[in-house]
Amino acid sequence: MGMSKEASKIYADIKGILEKLYGKTVDDASYKELYKASALSVRDRFMSTWNQTIRGIYRDKKKMLYYMSAEFLIGRSYASNIINMGLWDSYKEVFDHLGVNIKDIIPMEADPGLGNGGLGRLAACYLESLTSLDYPVMGCGIRYEYGLFKQKIVDGAQYEVEDDWLHDEFVWEVERPEWSFEVKFNGEIEEEWTEKGLTINYKNYNTVQAVPYDVPIIGYGCKHPGVLRLWSAKSEAGFDLSSFNKGDYLKAMENRQLAEIISKVLYPADNHQQGKELRLKQFYFLASAQMQFIVKYHKMMFGDLHTLPESTVVQINDTHPTLAIPELMRILMDDEGYSWEDAVEIVKKVFNYTNHTIMNEALECWDERLFRVLLPRIHTIIVNINERYCAKLAEYFPDDMEKISEMAIIAYGQIRMANLCIAVAGHVNGVSQLHGEILKRRLFNYEYQVFPNKFTAITNGITQRRWMALANPELTELLRKTIKGDFIKDYRLYEQLIPFADDPSFRAEFRDVKKKNKERLSEYLQDTQGISINTDSIIDVQSKRLHEYKRQLLKCIHILYKYNHLLADDKALTHPVTFIFAAKAAPGYHRAKSIIRLINAIADLVNNDPRTKDLMQVVFLENYNVSSAEILIPAADISEQLSTAGYEASGTGNMKFMLNGAVTIGTMDGANVEMHEQLGPDNIFVFGATATEIANYQRFKSYNPGSVFEKNVYVRNALDRIIDGSLPGVAENAFSDIYQSLLFGNGYEVADPYFVLYDLPSYAEVYTRAINLYAVDNESWMRKAIMNVAKAGFFSSDRAVEEYNEIMWHLKKYGEQ
Ligand code: 26W
């Protein structure tokens, strides 16, 4: 059996690496060793291209985008790199030759969980798209030694286990110690007037060394790899020399730990900020290291910093990296001798800001006293920015102190990061059309009046390389036979599918693909959790972080509603349904954890009742992450996008389901609104109150969940199930808190703040319609599913980054002058 030339070469390389690394042959290497050796052979194939790209940027003084983010949820790199390099078939051939399934090699790589959810995954999709489109980009983040916790479910409850993802070595990263910088904390500043003007003396500070690790980003075609630069904290060599010299070795080591703790762990809270000192340290650490790099690099290229905006544009992904703004001011003034005015002129041309949430508890604020102690110099700079900013605002709103203090960067002892971003950034972006409108009309309405042109709304996107080619090889194969041209590269080509939605033989093939993906999911659930699912059932999925506004509870109560209905009428469900949930809860978010416990209790109830178990099954998929999403999403028939209208800034999971041919049941929220627009009302199931209706209820405090409860006996009976002792394995009052909160609220929270009961009847109505359609007119269902794929092109991150580039980045492709 002969291998192709390419495969033979790869095979020889892997053989050589195995020998060198482990002294083993391909026959006695373990899967882990095979993974590592083959990954290194992949690396060897792009290293010189990567190197040339970096040199080219420097030589041609190319403008580069720095995408700064506290989170990059990149997922595994191995298959993605091979696919984008066009080497998938050859690598598969090699493993076939070895009698090994390449699909068993892929999971040997740890999935770097360097993000919580949507915001981190968006950053990863954007890096991939920018690189695929041949734009120069550097992602800038933190090399957390421990990523997001791994989730274990024990007796129905979530437990967190550390994610030691670097344990087996991360083969893709390259340490760049020559680009290390010192980051300074604490201490005092002294202002001194000399003949050169005001000079700042910063004394008695602590230093931490920031060491970058570069991860290559291999775009489609692998022409010009991008880079994700992740900063790691190291204590200074001889960090505490005096203790060392006094023989206090332990004290010295202790200090070392205190320094290195900065990049130890990703905070696992999503949409809830706590103002913790260590988190502030992480953010300044990232901001300072990255700005020092940018300044040094620009000076090497241009010699002079006036031209900084010609080489540099920075995108701030949510407020987490905001301190980059005052840090660049500090460097320009204190280290480079610029005046305030000159520094401002440069800085305001460099930064743009993307907002990802309107949730009040997620808007970052820092206690001013804590801030001043940790970052005294940055504090004085922000005070100065604030003074000038407020003076400017006073010109627009003379004597309106209320408005000005609402917009101020510092007020009531708090430093507000979003306000700082709006004051300085060139553009403020919302992540969907609706979200952009809400920023302008509600959250930042005063700012919008002052800076009407700053506000933009570029809808999020996802990369079709990972979310089609990698995650759904079966559908990719079918599309390859159907679509003319390279739809992996060009998202516009998906529309060619539209006529095929009416073609019965295409539908049959499409249905077949879905079935195979359900079987793959079933195997996964069997292997990981010992669960078997009915692959002829409708697969209904809600997968996303657990949060009350995302309303996993709505789906829970609806399942109980259906369960009751089925007990009363065995025709209440016309087709078997598998209800899947996948969600991590922030460890300190008790209500969210309690909802996970509830989901598992409901699973125990319906899965074990002989009257319902053949028609309904409830599954909680453990440890949802990028890798499990790649298996889960392609298997879905129904995508649940249930957020209370106005709360989900965009959503990107919704787009992944759409691309993979699931039909959405959703509210008119975030990007669902645009999916509805693209698809037309026939290809999506919309329900629930609109964002305007919700806002009005809130404004007039006119929503009363008690009346829904009283009026609707089905709602009442469903809700009663959670407290009437029906649920097995839990104490009768285990969920009384949830029940109470929905009906009565408590001291500091209104009743049913996310309108779960309000939307339940319309959800139930639309749900029944959806299931019935699938059951009685499956051809029409498949038609809708295919239309979803056909219309998903708009939601490509290729489209999104092109829009950003057009409006704010103004990058040139490699080879473009
Ligand atoms: C703890 C502080 C904090 C605050 C906010 C941590 C993380 C956040 C993020 C903004 C949460 C997040 O991921 N937001 C999501 O961003 C996605 C990408 O734009 C959107 O699609 C989601 O709608 C939004 O919830």
Side-chain angles (χ1 to χ4, degrees):
M1 187 189 75
M3 276 190 284
S4 67
K5 231 171 113 191
E6 178 102 70
S8 309
K9 178 79 180 64
I10 293 169
Y11 178 77
D13 289 349
I14 294 176
K15 226 172 106 181
I17 296 170
L18 275 175
E19 197 155 86
K20 259 195 292 187
L21 270 187
Y22 304 109
K24 286 195 177 180
T25 67
V26 288
D27 299 315
D28 43 37
S30 68
Y31 276 16
K32 245 188 194 151
E33 289 160 346
L34 281 173
Y35 160 70
K36 187 158 168 201
S38 59
L40 288 172
S41 77
V42 175
R43 220 177 87 139
D44 289 344
R45 283 170 165 68
F46 62 66
M47 271 302 186
S48 89
T49 315
W50 195 24
N51 182 256
Q52 282 163 29
T53 301
I54 295 167
R55 293 162 69 113
I57 294 171
Y58 185 75
R59 182 193 58 227
D60 302 338
K61 300 186 167 48
K62 284 206 83 75
K63 185 175 187 180
M64 175 128 84
L65 167 66
Y66 296 91
Y67 196 94
M68 292 188 70
S69 178
E71 306 188 3
F72 285 93
L73 203 47
I74 54 177
R76 292 180 178 133
S77 297
Y78 183 77
S80 169
N81 289 349
I82 297 177
I83 290 171
N84 279 357
M85 291 164 79
L87 293 174
W88 175 263
D89 291 341
S90 303
Y91 271 85
K92 187 166 175 313
E93 205 184 327
V94 170
F95 283 105
D96 287 348
H97 179 80
L98 293 171
V100 172
N101 190 340
I102 189 167
K103 299 209 166 105
D104 295 328
I105 295 298
I106 291 168
M108 297 296 114
E109 178 179 5
D111 181 343
L114 308 186
N116 273 284
L119 153 134
R121 183 55 232 175
L122 184 77
C125 280
Y126 282 4
L127 292 189
E128 200 275 350
S129 274
L130 282 155
T131 309
S132 292
L133 292 169
D134 237 10
Y135 290 113
V137 59
M138 176 185 275
C140 323
I142 298 171
R143 183 176 177 268
Y144 302 106
E145 210 176 304
Y146 293 90
L148 188 63
F149 65 88
K150 289 190 176 155
Q151 179 189 55
K152 287 257 181 298
I153 301 294
V154 181
D155 295 333
Q158 167 177 298
Y159 288 82
E160 298 91 29
V161 179
E162 68 185 29
D163 170 29
D164 188 7
W165 71 287
L166 287 168
H167 184 88
D168 290 331
E169 185 191 10
F170 183 48
V171 303
W172 310 106
E173 68 182 4
V174 181
E175 187 183 353
R176 308 261 187 230
E178 69 278 20
W179 283 104
S180 297
F181 296 95
E182 260 186 14
V183 179
K184 300 173 182 170
F185 295 98
N186 306 110
E188 301 110 44
I189 51 166
E190 273 175 7
E191 299 184 347
E192 194 187 334
W193 287 95
T194 64
E195 66 269 28
K196 287 197 302 189
L198 182 68
T199 57
I200 301 291
N201 271 323
Y202 186 19
K203 302 193 313 193
N204 300 326
Y205 48 77
N206 298 317
T207 59
V208 177
Q209 193 80 5
V211 183
Y213 287 70
D214 286 354
V215 182
I217 305 296
I218 305 300
Y220 194 55
C222 190
K223 286 200 295 216
H224 297 95
V227 55
L228 170 57
R229 173 158 289 186
L230 298 174
W231 296 95
S232 178
K234 294 245 156 47
S235 92
E236 288 276 85
F239 177 66
D240 188 359
L241 263 186
S242 64
S243 305
F244 248 123
N245 293 341
K246 281 185 240 141
D248 198 347
Y249 176 69
L250 289 179
K251 178 82 195 310
M253 291 309 270
E254 200 179 294
N255 285 338
R256 182 184 196 120
Q257 281 224 327
L258 283 177
E260 294 182 357
I261 209 160
I262 289 181
S263 55
K264 264 291 174 258
V265 65
L266 166 70
Y267 274 80
D270 175 277
N271 268 310
H272 188 86
Q273 99 104 16
Q274 288 186 322
K276 287 270 195 295
E277 180 178 1
L278 180 57
R279 190 145 161 106
L280 182 56
K281 276 191 188 163
Q282 292 185 330
F283 293 161
Y284 181 65
F285 171 77
L286 165 62
S288 178
Q290 190 60 42
M291 288 302 118
Q292 290 185 65
F293 167 76
I294 286 174
V295 166
K296 182 170 172 185
Y297 189 67
H298 181 85
K299 278 168 73 181
M300 281 167 53
M301 278 194 298
F302 287 76
D304 172 17
L305 284 166
H306 279 107
T307 48
L308 188 69
E310 287 170 31
S311 75
T312 302
V313 57
V314 177
Q315 193 68 26
I316 300 184
N317 197 28
D318 218 76
T319 52
H320 316 147
T322 304
L323 296 177
I325 293 171
E327 175 65 2
L328 182 57
M329 289 290 293
R330 183 194 68 76
I331 297 172
L332 290 173
M333 295 189 302
D334 299 1
D335 299 350
E336 304 291 337
Y338 279 73
S339 69
W340 178 274
E341 287 69 25
D342 289 347
V344 166
E345 273 316 299
I346 296 172
V347 168
K348 72 181 190 195
K349 291 194 193 114
V350 167
F351 293 97
N352 300 291
Y353 157 59
T354 308
N355 173 283
H356 295 264
T357 181
I358 62 155
M359 304 272 303
N360 210 12
E361 61 267 37
L363 292 179
E364 258 184 334
C365 291
W366 298 106
D367 179 79
E368 195 178 358
R369 280 169 307 179
L370 167 103
F371 196 100
R372 195 190 301 128
V373 172
L374 191 69
L375 304 168
R377 177 59 181 141
I378 297 301
H379 176 254
T380 63
I381 290 173
I382 295 178
V383 167
N384 273 312
I385 296 177
N386 185 47
E387 272 170 18
R388 286 158 215 248
Y389 183 54
C390 288
K392 184 160 145 193
L393 295 176
E395 291 170 20
Y396 286 88
F397 300 111
D399 304 322
D400 198 339
M401 278 317 287
E402 216 169 288
K403 278 187 186 154
I404 294 170
S405 71
E406 199 171 303
M407 287 186 280
I409 299 163
I410 308 179
Y412 311 109
Q414 299 278 308
I415 308 184
R416 302 148 164 181
M417 292 295 126
N419 293 14
L420 175 54
C421 281
I422 296 173
V424 182
H427 297 274
V428 176
N429 191 57
V431 289
S432 69
Q433 298 313 300
L434 176 64
H435 177 59
E437 281 307 304
I438 291 175
L439 293 185
K440 290 194 289 191
R441 313 271 163 233
R442 303 215 298 251
L443 203 60
F444 302 131
N445 181 254
Y446 298 147
E447 288 87 346
Y448 174 57
Q449 293 176 37
V450 181
F451 315 107
N453 300 324
K454 265 195 194 187
F455 287 81
T456 60
I458 300 168
T459 301
N460 284 168
I462 57 165
T463 165
Q464 66 269 28
R465 266 76 60 187
R466 184 173 291 267
W467 298 108
M468 173 62 74
L470 185 156
N472 202 338
E474 297 283 345
L475 185 55
T476 305
E477 205 35 53
L478 176 58
L479 299 190
R480 236 190 261 293
K481 293 195 302 185
T482 315
I483 294 175
K484 287 195 197 62
D486 190 355
F487 57 94
I488 297 304
K489 191 185 170 82
D490 185 353
Y491 64 86
R492 293 172 188 87
L493 302 178
Y494 286 83
E495 297 225 340
Q496 283 181 34
L497 280 181
I498 295 171
F500 289 91
D502 293 317
D503 174 348
S505 73
F506 183 80
R507 282 187 207 141
E509 288 185 90
F510 188 86
R511 187 181 288 114
D512 228 42
V513 165
K514 201 45 106 185
K515 171 83 175 166
K516 287 199 180 118
N517 287 329
K518 290 180 187 183
E519 279 159 4
R520 184 175 65 155
L521 172 64
S522 173
E523 262 167 50
Y524 176 83
L525 286 168
Q526 188 65 52
D527 290 351
T528 52
Q529 294 173 238
I531 291 174
S532 63
I533 57 169
N534 173 3
T535 56
D536 289 320
S537 69
I538 294 173
I539 302 290
D540 164 308
V541 184
Q542 185 178 26
S543 60
K544 48 184 81 249
R545 280 302 286 264
L546 215 141
H547 201 289
E548 284 160 283
Y549 85 80
K550 295 178 188 279
R551 296 201 295 193
Q552 281 90 355
L553 251 188
L554 178 56
K555 180 161 148 162
C556 285
I557 298 168
H558 176 252
I559 292 170
L560 293 170
Y561 179 107
K562 272 289 171 205
Y563 173 75
N564 285 340
H565 199 173
L566 208 51
L567 295 187
D569 169 8
D570 61 6
K571 293 185 189 53
L573 255 182
T574 49
H575 199 282
V577 182
T578 304
F579 301 90
I580 302 183
F581 293 86
K584 286 181 181 175
Y589 188 175
H590 299 293
R591 175 72 53 77
K593 285 186 149 177
S594 165
I595 293 170
I596 290 181
R597 186 67 196 86
L598 174 64
I599 294 167
N600 286 306
I602 294 173
D604 279 346
L605 175 71
V606 307
N607 299 353
N608 295 311
D609 188 329
R611 297 168 296 178
T612 54
K613 72 180 182 40
D614 294 332
L615 277 171
M616 329 175 55
Q617 183 181 7
V618 177
V619 173
F620 188 92
L621 183 146
E622 227 167 284
N623 198 38
Y624 186 54
N625 58 11
V626 175
S627 298
S628 54
E630 290 162 6
I631 294 167
L632 179 58
I633 292 170
D637 295 302
I638 295 179
S639 158
E640 300 267 15
Q641 305 301 334
L642 311 181
S643 56
T644 315
Y647 283 89
E648 190 68 273
S650 162
T652 46
N654 47 3
M655 302 169 186
K656 293 161 201 164
F657 283 101
M658 181 184 184
L659 179 65
N660 283 278
V663 181
T664 299
I665 296 184
T667 50
M668 279 296 222
D669 197 15
N672 297 354
V673 176
E674 289 147 84
M675 286 166 49
H676 177 262
E677 191 179 305
Q678 294 282 325
L679 289 163
D682 286 346
N683 297 310
I684 181 168
F685 293 96
V686 166
F687 74 95
T690 63
T692 315
E693 284 162 359
I694 299 279
N696 282 331
Y697 275 116
Q698 289 173 328
R699 183 140 70 103
F700 301 112
K701 298 187 172 44
S702 50
Y703 168 48
N704 173 15
S707 74
V708 184
F709 185 80
E710 274 157 30
K711 260 194 282 188
N712 191 322
V713 59
Y714 302 107
V715 170
R716 205 152 67 229
N717 292 342
L719 199 52
D720 277 343
R721 285 268 180 207
I722 78 174
I723 52 151
D724 68 1
S726 300
L727 297 174
V730 288
E732 205 170 293
N733 63 358
F735 304 113
S736 55
D737 168 65
I738 292 176
Y739 184 87
Q740 288 277 328
S741 132
L742 287 175
L743 284 175
F744 312 110
N746 56 34
Y748 40 91
E749 193 184 72
V750 299
D752 193 10
Y754 296 105
F755 294 77
V756 174
L757 299 187
Y758 186 91
D759 279 348
L760 183 57
S762 72
Y763 175 60
E765 195 266 317
V766 113
Y767 201 92
T768 303
R769 255 200 294 135
I771 301 304
N772 288 346
L773 185 79
Y774 190 99
V776 303
D777 186 3
N778 197 260
E779 288 297 312
S780 288
W781 181 277
M782 286 303 152
R783 187 181 187 286
K784 291 187 199 314
I786 294 162
M787 286 301 289
N788 270 268
V789 185
K791 291 289 190 174
F794 175 79
F795 300 102
S796 168
S797 40
D798 293 356
R799 187 267 314 147
V801 299
E802 287 286 16
E803 283 186 35
Y804 273 95
N805 195 44
E806 192 62 39
I807 296 172
M808 54 189 98
W809 297 336
H810 311 301
L811 305 167
K812 296 256 166 55
K813 296 189 179 192
Y814 292 100
E816 209 182 312
Q817 273 314 298

